[in-house]
Structures are given as structure tokens and as C-alpha cells.
Amino acid sequence: MQPNRKINVAILDDHQSIVDGYVHRLSQSPLIEVVATLNFGDQLEPALAKFPTDVLLLDISVPVSAENSNDYPILYVIPKLMQLYPHMNILVISMFAERGLIRGIMDAGANGYILKDDRSTLVDLANVVLTIAGGGIHLSQKAHQLFLSDQLNRTETRSAFVSWKRSHCARPSRMR
């Protein structure tokens, strides 16, 4: 990103009142310009091709199109977007506070995950976007706790498995 250029933001969320709130919060910063607002997943890739985007705000549960109410497969789309637009940063904003989902989103390549009920973070959305645009990572406090507990759980599970394996699996005897 060039130093004197505004940060271009695209928003994908199927609730217009939410989109309007994000646009309002982001318009408070002279460093940010919202270049696209989208309500359906099938609008995303054409919009990104048309409007250079530095930060993409994504909701998880968005219909594919006006005719197809199935959820747009965000977990599969994020890695594809990261390949197509390697300099774009992704911030997921969702109501889902599920440890595995947060882990999956972050593993897929997102730069952040904030919860829609995290009022203090949403009030400061412009600064969160600036952090994400600079390559930083941002998680809501609850999302951060869930993310860390998943990390701890994975480490403990691996450690417990290794200990169990050592104590329950006899070493093969050497053949002479």
C-alpha cells in the first residue's frame, strides 16, 4: 500500500443495517474509503476484480445469491482470495463464537475475527481496519480467548497422546 493512498475497503454482509453501520464507522477515518458493499457471495469476486481492495470485511453466513439462499462457502473462498489477491487482508465479522470456526477462519488466511456483539471493537472499527491493512492481526477478546483455548487444547491433546503412546506402546525388540 502506498503511504499517501487511502485504504480501500470492501464489505460483504447480507444485512443492510450492518453494512450501513460499518460504512458509518469507517467513514469517520479520512484514511479509509469503502469501495464496495455487497449482500451476496456471488457479487464478491467480480467486485474485487473491479475495485482494488486492501481490506475485505466478511460475514460468515451470507447467501450465495438472491436466488440461492445457501451459505457462501467462506472457509473455501478465503484461501482462493488470498491466492488471487495476496496483498489484500481479510477481517471476518461474525456472530458465531465457536472455537473451531475461529481456528478454521484464521487457518484459512484471515487477518482477524471479531464478534458482532463486541461493541467496543466495532466502535473502533476504523482503527481495527488500519491495523489489519498494515498486516496486523485483530481478534475480539472473546474470539482471542477461544482461539488461544483451541491452541492450548491442541497442544494438550498432542502432549497427552505422545505420553499415552510412550507408556502404552512397547518399543519393538531388536532382532538379533
Side-chain angles (χ1 to χ4, degrees), residues 4 6 13 18-19 24 43 46-47 56 66 78 82 84 91 98 122 135 137 142 167:
N4 294 327
K6 286 187 175 191
D13 195 299
I18 297 287
V19 172
H24 172 74
Q43 299 169 325
L56 173 61
I78 291 174
M82 298 311 299
L84 292 171
L91 175 62
E98 297 171 16
L122 292 173
I137 294 174
K142 185 174 181 181
S167 65

Side-chain angles (χ1 to χ4, degrees), residues 40-105:
F40 300 105
D42 66 351
Q43 299 169 325
L44 182 59
E45 291 184 52
L48 293 176
K50 184 175 180 179
F51 303 106
T53 300
D54 301 305
V55 177
L56 173 61
L57 304 186
L58 281 180
D59 184 13
I60 290 176
S61 184
V62 176
V64 170
S65 68
E67 299 80 29
N68 182 350
S69 63
N70 290 322
D71 282 344
Y72 191 59
I74 296 297
L75 275 172
Y76 299 103
V77 170
I78 291 174
K80 180 181 175 183
L81 294 175
M82 298 311 299
Q83 283 187 327
L84 292 171
Y85 307 100
H87 300 292
M88 183 175 68
N89 297 293
I90 297 175
L91 175 62
V92 172
I93 305 177
S94 175
M95 63 182 185
F96 297 106
E98 297 171 16
R99 181 173 57 190
L101 181 60
I102 296 167
R103 158 65 53 209
I105 293 292

Side-chain angles (χ1 to χ4, degrees), residues 1 3 8 19 27 47 57 64 85 88 95 100 119 129 136 152 169:
M1 193 177 79
N8 291 337
V19 172
S27 69
L57 304 186
V64 170
Y85 307 100
M88 183 175 68
M95 63 182 185
R119 190 177 189 291
V129 166
L152 182 59
C169 298

